[in-house]
Amino acid sequence: MSNLLEKASILLTPTAYDDGKILSVKPSTVLGGELITNGDFATDLSGWITSNTDATNTITWETNGARIISTTNLVGIQQDNVLTIGKSYKLTCNVAITTGSIGLDALTAGVTTVMVEGFNEIYFTAVSDTFKIKRTTTNSNCLLDNVSVKEDLSGDFDFTRNSSATRVNSQGLIEDMQ
């Protein structure tokens, strides 16, 4: 019962009946504004800081994204002062992997989340103010594009008009919500 408020659900909404059926309401996902600068890499790598680059480890701009090549070191790309520690975020991006795999760093309590080829959608809680994507393997090559990070502002409930509903609170009791 300790995790009831992680994703609270509405148990019953008064007058939400239709032909003998109880209708349920699902809270909507609410996102803040875009936090990443130049996430589409439209003309260059501006707004991004590159790390661990040398002759064999590079990050280059291409017309369809940022090419990350790593042979011996774990090369990365980042933006500083974009996250607030403890807040929840939604990351979306496209990844085209030539060789190896790509992972994320500084997103959730030291856990690296490996992204897949294609579209990625990842929810995370910030443990740093820096948003960083770095290689998790050596001898790898990928193209990163359409990087978007937005704060997840979703709450227990989102009403568009005054309404009443009930939910189970953290003590396991049914609670009236306005």
Side-chain angles (χ1 to χ4, degrees):
M1 288 268 215
S2 65
N3 63 354
L4 285 174
L5 291 180
E6 287 180 19
K7 292 291 180 186
S9 61
I10 296 173
L11 296 180
L12 181 62
T13 56
T15 68
Y17 297 93
D18 180 26
D19 205 15
K21 298 176 188 172
I22 297 176
L23 304 177
S24 64
V25 179
K26 180 180 177 186
S28 62
T29 301
V30 179
L31 300 174
E34 181 60 53
L35 299 174
I36 297 297
T37 302
N38 192 25
D40 62 355
F41 304 99
T43 57
D44 55 19
L45 296 175
S46 62
W48 293 92
I49 300 167
T50 59
S51 62
N52 294 335
T53 58
D54 56 34
T56 58
N57 298 288
T58 60
I59 299 175
T60 58
W61 176 79
E62 294 185 11
T63 57
N64 52 352
R67 171 78 56 193
I68 301 174
I69 301 170
S70 175
T71 57
T72 56
N73 295 321
L74 301 179
V75 64
I77 192 168
Q78 70 186 50
Q79 290 191 11
D80 295 333
N81 303 313
V82 295
L83 305 177
T84 301
I85 296 171
K87 289 193 175 185
S88 298
Y89 296 92
K90 177 184 178 182
L91 160 69
T92 58
C93 64
N94 294 318
V95 177
I97 300 172
T98 306
T99 58
S101 63
I102 188 168
L104 301 176
D105 185 42
L107 297 184
T108 56
V111 176
T112 298
T113 304
V114 177
M115 291 193 282
V116 297
E117 177 116 27
F119 180 75
N120 288 265
E121 178 179 87
I122 299 168
Y123 287 87
F124 66 95
T125 301
V127 295
S128 167
D129 66 350
T130 298
F131 173 74
K132 181 189 292 182
I133 296 176
K134 75 172 187 177
R135 308 299 302 149
T136 58
T137 59
T138 57
N139 298 319
S140 52
N141 182 339
C142 74
L143 186 68
L144 182 65
D145 196 15
N146 298 316
V147 178
S148 171
V149 174
K150 296 180 180 181
E151 185 177 356
D152 183 2
L153 300 172
S154 300
D156 286 348
F157 298 94
D158 183 22
F159 295 107
T160 56
R161 63 179 172 81
N162 287 337
S163 183
S164 180
T166 57
R167 73 170 184 175
V168 177
N169 66 22
S170 61
Q171 290 81 35
L173 302 172
I174 295 175
E175 177 179 30
D176 183 55
M177 301 298 296
Q178 294 293 326

